[in-house]
Amino acid sequence: MCGIVGYIGKEKSLPFLINGLKALEYRGYDSAGIAIFSHDKVQVKRKAGQVKVLENALKNDTDLIGHLGIGHTRWATHGMPNETNAHPHNDCMGRIFVVHNGIIENYKELKEYLQHRGHIFHSDTDTEVVPHLIEDFLRSNGDFNVALFDALKMIRGAYAFAIIDVKNPDTLYAVSFSSPLVIGVGADENFLASDPSALVGKSKNVIYIKDGEIAEITRSKIDIINLEQKKTPPEIVRLEWNLEQAQKGNYPHFMLKEIFEGPKIVFSALQGRLKSGKNLVKLGGLEQVNEKLKEAKRLIILACGTSYHAGLVGEYLFEEIAKLPTEVHFASEFRYREEPFEEGTVVIAISQSGETADTLAAIRKTKKHGLLTLGIVNTVGSTIARETDAGVYNHAGPEIGVASTKAFISQLTMLVLMAVYMSESNGHQLHHALLQELEKIPEKIKAILDKASEIEMLSEKYKDCENFLFLGRRYNYPVAFEGALKLKEISYIHAEGYGAGEMKHGPIAMISEKFPTMAIVPQNSVSEKMFSNLEEIKARKGPIFAIATEGDKEIVSLANDIFFVPKTIESLEPLLTIVPLQLFAYYVGTKRGFDVDKPRNLAKSVTVE
Ligand code: M6R
């Protein structure tokens, strides 16, 4: 949440700051601001609203020519989303300028303390205490680094800061604690961002600042100072994301582009990992923990939002394929559980961003109990990727749309692979049909995308509904949750996902002519039961939109509208059935006139609890 950028180097800083903020806008878009060291002083510009408002305001500014700058796009936590609360914030003397991501939990007591000592505040933010606190320590000790360390000792919470000190104009300071910051290493220039998507096209070599570390960045040097105030060698990670992946291309929105990347995403997740001729899955990232995995008796999957829904599909996969009892938890609730952990329990964290605060807190808790933790993560080098004992990357490239689409598809693919990998029969004939079919999934997704215009037409019919029920069973039960989440996130229509068997225990009360049901009902082991549920809906005059298997005749008499998907093996169905639901959410959202890439109140990377 919130995006931070910073630049120091041979070029003028403004272009990178603005482009970087645009790339990070999916993290928050309430207001934006920059501070640039120009003509021996720091100039600050802030605006309420999206980055383009700030960009327009700076169009004719010839003053902002400095080579050191910081910027911020905000997702408001403390204080209204207006210009006064927009970052950067500064101290009384106008020496220290700070942009911040995260929450300073003890800001009220710090603010009172500082006000008592004569500091004047202008905003309602928690952030503003930071420059004043550093200023306060500078009064008793003139050294900036010492004052910064002393200030950090007093701050509680999760934070990432980028800081300019007017008296040290050759240095960009960065601090991270439970909130990510990554440095892009350049030649005679260095970049800073809260996630690597802002660095694409600028640098492929990145350094993640670890918890409690301070980075002192000049145009030619990067010093990392650890909690013990000692210099520590920077760890450089190679970033393989490219510019094309981070741009919309010919698509009107990132969300649509990312849905259409589905076939490619599955293909790249399988590459080098699936040896279908040998019925074998090889996951290099897990090899180092193979011995421990053989001892696994039980799995716990931890995730939030869309990744949690992928985890729910994983529960069925691991139980059916790997024969391992599996449970899935919302990471955000897991911290409150007093569950006794048995030996042989393996934890799997699923996260697109690799930075979700709740997921991170949940895996830290299991690590304290000595459990083996694995990650399924998209963002290379992210905190969850680093903190889990072993893991696999999705290789889906940057996901920019706030609503997660391609990451879900890649998570499902990784879960199938992982379930086979962890089964005792990996490499045996038993998995032949499943793995052969998995290889056909990209072309089957493509066949669905080729019919996107059918969904577009149907979305016109349903776009003014106020409610929607999504129903599925077994493997498609989590798909019902995910379809409903997509529709509410993007179109602000009230949508509920249910296991179809649960309908008669309550939700059926809502069914009426004005309350449509999206039924995920491919031909499989539970379709007869699904048909019975649909009869119950029809008897109550509820409109039905069905996602069904090509060639299914029975559904025709039951549903008002049908979208057909190709036949596949039941455990792989979610990889196909989710695609029309993602498209449906997209088209309904755009037809209702919303900015689907930046839905209201949301942020892509949820780095606060
Ligand atoms: O980055 P993560 O996968 O850990 O994020 C988890 C959720 O915050 C995320 O999936 C969220 O629900 C998205 N808005 C879904 O579209």
Side-chain angles (χ1 to χ4, degrees):
M1 307 190 125
C2 300
I4 289 178
V5 286
Y7 178 86
I8 186 160
K10 58 189 177 198
E11 306 290 344
K12 289 179 187 153
S13 59
L14 186 62
F16 172 73
L17 297 183
I18 293 295
N19 289 333
L21 288 180
K22 281 188 188 160
L24 294 181
E25 223 178 351
Y26 62 83
R27 301 175 66 98
Y29 28 84
D30 295 334
S31 59
I34 49 136
I36 292 180
F37 186 83
S38 280
H39 306 305
D40 293 332
K41 61 177 199 287
V42 170
Q43 310 207 23
V44 175
K45 303 283 171 185
R46 301 181 300 186
K47 285 283 167 211
Q50 298 190 2
V51 176
K52 62 179 177 227
V53 180
L54 177 73
E55 187 183 26
N56 286 338
L58 300 182
K59 254 193 189 130
N60 302 319
D61 199 314
T62 47
D63 244 12
L64 295 166
I65 50 167
H67 297 237
L68 164 64
I70 55 178
H72 190 263
T73 174
R74 180 168 184 247
W75 186 84
T77 57
H78 298 67
M80 302 269 289
N82 56 26
E83 191 168 318
T84 314
N85 290 327
H87 299 209
H89 294 284
N90 56 275
D91 61 335
C92 300
M93 302 295 288
R95 171 176 169 180
I96 299 148
F97 295 81
V98 176
V99 292
H100 165 217
N101 182 10
I103 288 178
I104 296 168
E105 285 163 2
N106 59 337
Y107 88 99
K108 273 196 186 140
E109 61 194 71
L110 290 174
K111 190 167 176 175
E112 269 173 34
Y113 163 80
L114 290 161
Q115 280 173 327
H116 202 68
R117 290 171 64 82
H119 292 263
I120 308 290
F121 284 76
H122 299 283
S123 77
D124 305 316
T125 63
D126 52 344
T127 308
E128 204 182 349
V129 299
V130 181
H132 288 284
L133 198 56
I134 301 171
E135 178 184 44
D136 206 68
F137 279 109
L138 276 169
R139 283 180 190 166
S140 48
N141 180 331
D143 186 280
F144 181 81
N145 289 50
V146 177
L148 177 58
F149 266 108
D150 286 342
L152 293 177
K153 278 185 212 143
M154 289 186 70
I155 294 171
R156 267 201 329 269
Y159 49 80
F161 304 128
I163 307 172
I164 295 180
D165 172 24
V166 174
K167 299 250 167 94
N168 288 294
D170 298 327
T171 309
L172 166 62
Y173 294 90
V175 182
S176 167
F177 187 81
S178 292
S179 190
L181 264 188
V182 57
I183 301 167
V185 184
D188 204 19
E189 60 181 350
N190 288 305
F191 310 86
L192 182 72
S194 18
D195 81 50
S197 53
L199 304 176
V200 178
K202 291 289 169 194
S203 171
K204 279 195 180 275
N205 292 327
V206 303
I207 300 165
Y208 282 87
I209 305 175
K210 299 196 187 105
D211 264 8
E213 287 180 345
I214 295 179
E216 289 176 24
I217 309 164
T218 68
R219 56 197 283 172
S220 55
K221 201 160 128 243
I222 297 162
D223 283 335
I224 306 284
I225 297 144
N226 67 15
L227 281 170
E228 286 84 45
Q229 303 194 23
K230 297 215 170 81
K231 275 194 193 168
T232 163
E235 224 174 87
I236 295 183
V237 176
R238 186 93 182 138
L239 193 70
E240 295 303 345
W241 292 356
N242 62 45
L243 209 51
E244 191 198 318
Q245 288 173 315
Q247 288 173 343
K248 267 191 285 200
N250 292 329
Y251 289 91
H253 297 99
F254 277 108
M255 184 177 173
L256 193 64
K257 178 187 177 226
E258 287 162 4
I259 296 172
F260 270 80
E261 280 177 43
K264 202 169 68 189
I265 293 311
V266 177
F267 180 78
S268 53
L270 299 182
Q271 229 180 2
R273 291 161 163 168
L274 175 61
K275 318 271 171 215
S276 63
K278 295 182 179 165
N279 308 313
L280 185 73
V281 170
K282 272 179 79 102
L283 295 176
L286 300 188
E287 267 167 23
Q288 44 164 322
V289 293
N290 266 351
E291 288 313 306
K292 282 193 180 168
L293 285 183
K294 281 187 195 143
E295 315 274 286
K297 293 195 179 69
R298 175 175 164 238
L299 300 178
I300 296 180
I301 299 180
L302 301 171
C304 296
T306 290
S307 301
Y308 168 80
H309 297 152
L312 290 176
V313 177
E315 187 173 14
Y316 288 89
L317 290 168
F318 282 114
E319 294 193 346
E320 185 184 342
I321 299 171
K323 310 290 177 219
L324 280 168
T326 305
E327 51 190 85
V328 190
H329 295 272
F330 281 122
S332 49
E333 276 301 312
F334 190 72
R335 66 178 74 212
Y336 309 119
R337 297 288 296 266
E338 296 297 336
E339 191 172 343
F341 296 113
E342 297 158 30
E343 218 177 295
T345 303
V346 174
V347 175
I348 303 176
I350 308 177
S351 177
Q352 187 286 127
S353 62
E355 302 294 351
T356 301
D358 289 317
T359 310
L360 197 52
I363 53 168
R364 283 178 180 163
K365 175 176 170 173
T366 62
K367 283 186 80 158
K368 274 194 194 138
H369 289 269
L371 302 189
L372 176 69
T373 56
L374 310 179
I376 300 180
V377 176
N378 191 35
T379 308
V380 177
S382 56
T383 313
I384 294 176
R386 283 184 278 120
E387 290 207 11
T388 39
D389 298 308
V392 286
Y393 283 119
N394 301 36
H395 298 314
E399 189 179 62
I400 313 282
V402 167
S404 186
T405 53
K406 67 172 178 177
F408 183 69
I409 304 258
S410 68
Q411 288 163 344
L412 295 179
T413 313
M414 291 317 303
L415 284 161
V416 176
L417 292 178
M418 226 182 202
V420 174
Y421 184 80
M422 286 174 74
S423 75
E424 280 178 9
S425 44
N426 187 18
H428 295 107
Q429 184 65 17
L430 192 66
H431 299 301
H432 183 74
L434 177 75
L435 297 182
Q436 289 251 310
E437 179 63 15
L438 191 54
E439 277 186 319
K440 293 189 191 138
I441 291 294
E443 73 198 51
K444 292 191 176 180
I445 296 180
K446 171 146 188 336
I448 294 172
L449 294 169
D450 287 344
K451 299 193 297 174
S453 56
E454 283 182 30
I455 296 280
E456 189 175 5
M457 260 155 56
L458 287 169
S459 64
E460 183 64 37
K461 174 172 170 186
Y462 288 96
K463 75 174 193 321
D464 297 319
C465 292
E466 281 168 18
N467 301 286
F468 238 104
L469 182 64
F470 283 68
L471 293 181
R473 273 180 189 259
R474 203 173 177 221
Y475 279 100
N476 287 297
Y477 148 73
V479 175
F481 290 166
E482 178 57 12
L485 177 67
K486 284 290 89 77
L487 189 65
K488 58 186 142 190
E489 282 186 302
I490 295 306
S491 67
Y492 318 142
I493 291 175
H494 164 236
E496 290 196 48
Y498 262 92
E502 277 296 296
M503 189 189 64
K504 56 190 173 294
H505 299 291
I508 198 166
M510 301 187 294
I511 296 299
S512 76
E513 282 159 331
K514 289 192 177 154
F515 203 122
T517 297
M518 178 70 81
I520 305 137
V521 56
Q523 269 174 337
N524 57 27
S525 68
V526 290
S527 40
E528 272 186 19
K529 290 191 194 301
M530 280 295 294
F531 285 138
S532 306
N533 298 132
L534 298 189
E535 293 283 7
E536 290 155 10
I537 292 171
K538 202 176 169 200
R540 286 156 184 86
K541 299 202 172 81
I544 297 170
F545 183 162
I547 307 297
T549 305
E550 275 163 9
D552 184 347
K553 295 204 173 68
E554 216 178 325
I555 192 70
V556 178
S557 59
L558 268 174
N560 302 67
D561 295 294
I562 309 168
F563 182 86
F564 289 106
V565 296
K567 176 92 187 137
T568 189
I569 290 177
E570 191 165 350
S571 53
L572 303 182
E573 278 170 1
L575 281 159
L576 303 186
T577 51
I578 191 58
V579 180
L581 304 188
Q582 293 174 341
L583 287 168
F584 183 67
Y586 171 79
Y587 288 121
V588 171
T590 47
K591 283 180 193 301
R592 284 165 73 99
F594 300 128
D595 181 350
V596 295
D597 280 341
K598 299 190 191 89
R600 71 181 178 212
N601 304 338
L602 294 180
K604 181 76 182 159
S605 198
V606 187
T607 52
V608 294
E609 285 171 23

